[in-house]
Amino acid sequence: MTAEERYTGILDWFSRNMQDAQTELHYDSVFHLLIAVILSAQCTDKRVNMHTPEIFKKYPSPESLASADIEDVAENIKSITFPNSKARHLVGMARMLIDKFSGEVPSDPSELVKLPGVGRKTANVIASVVYNRPVIAVDTHVFRVARRLGLSEGKTVEAVEKDLTGSIAPEMRPKAHHWLILHGRYVCTARKPSCEGCEISRWCKSYETGTDCSKA
């Protein structure tokens, strides 16, 4: 089976069966989504969602977060991974939003990555989720699933992103990002992939070749 055939079959199945796929992070504004995505680095969405309501209430705007004490912010996110560094990033991000972007979260990934705590993945999440930009954020789930399915043989996040972007139509990329994340989170998991119950296994390169994904 060719890579093109895999893309066609997999994307068609997702488009028919996961039309409502979207981020599982809770948010009520672009600014708050940016906070949530920064907090979600090496942390589960579920844990982040447990704490963001209070965080959003305390820091409703870039101005309120920019003027906050970093130690206070760290205390508010102490149950989330790496609270000290994330607190510095959050306050720095808010200050830069005010100083460089008039308090508005930019839509261009090349501008977003200038913000403290915002890497390429985070920038692409914001750009695709909020602004529907034709980009794909490659996190650990997307990286793992794309390689297992045979959608990419890239050995780096950048290489996988390039393959996915080059093979998925622009208008489909924002949705495809969520399809692959959710598939990796609930079906094609890191240690115990549910291959026998997987609806797209017929197009999966690892399943076709009998690869033991749990050891990959």
Side-chain angles (χ1 to χ4, degrees):
M1 185 180 299
T2 66
E4 183 177 356
E5 290 171 330
R6 295 187 199 283
Y7 271 101
T8 298
I10 290 169
L11 294 177
D12 180 65
W13 187 90
F14 278 137
S15 65
R16 286 184 289 103
N17 294 278
M18 294 181 66
Q19 295 180 8
D20 298 325
Q22 56 187 303
T23 181
E24 293 188 312
L25 287 170
H26 299 164
Y27 66 99
D28 54 16
S29 68
V30 184
F31 174 61
H32 282 164
L33 177 61
L34 181 54
I35 289 177
V37 178
I38 291 174
L39 291 176
S40 71
Q42 299 184 56
C43 188
T44 65
D45 288 1
K46 182 178 180 180
R47 176 164 288 278
V48 171
N49 288 336
M50 290 170 59
H51 299 282
T52 46
E54 187 61 31
I55 295 169
F56 294 166
K57 182 179 179 180
K58 191 163 187 176
Y59 308 112
S61 65
E63 290 78 12
S64 59
L65 182 55
S67 62
D69 182 85
I70 292 176
E71 291 184 0
D72 287 343
V73 176
E75 178 65 21
N76 289 321
I77 62 173
K78 63 182 180 181
S79 296
I80 295 175
T81 55
F82 310 111
N84 294 327
S85 61
K86 287 180 180 179
R88 290 193 298 272
H89 288 154
L90 289 175
V91 174
M93 173 271 290
R95 290 174 178 171
M96 185 175 284
L97 280 182
I98 294 170
D99 294 341
K100 302 293 185 182
F101 300 103
S102 302
E104 299 294 328
V105 178
S107 62
D108 189 332
S110 66
E111 294 295 317
L112 282 161
V113 294
K114 296 177 182 178
L115 297 167
V118 178
R120 187 174 183 86
K121 185 212 78 172
T122 297
N124 283 353
V125 168
I126 299 299
S128 64
V129 171
V130 178
Y131 300 111
N132 205 37
R133 297 290 291 268
V135 294
I136 294 181
V138 178
D139 66 355
T140 55
H141 294 303
V142 175
F143 183 79
R144 178 180 70 252
V145 170
R147 286 165 47 85
R148 284 179 177 178
L149 291 174
L151 302 181
S152 174
E153 294 183 358
K155 292 180 171 55
T156 65
V157 168
E158 291 77 12
V160 170
E161 181 185 336
K162 182 178 179 181
D163 287 341
L164 294 175
T165 301
S167 300
I168 299 175
E171 66 275 10
M172 192 177 285
R173 290 171 197 164
K175 277 289 186 184
H177 158 71
H178 296 304
W179 291 336
L180 294 174
I181 283 179
L182 295 175
H183 189 68
R185 187 171 288 164
Y186 298 111
V187 181
C188 194
T189 57
R191 295 304 175 193
K192 294 183 179 181
S194 303
C195 297
E196 295 305 320
C198 177
E199 296 288 346
I200 60 174
S201 62
R202 74 196 81 172
W203 299 289
C204 177
K205 184 175 182 179
S206 295
Y207 189 74
E208 179 183 62
T209 59
T211 301
D212 185 353
C213 294
S214 65
K215 297 180 180 180

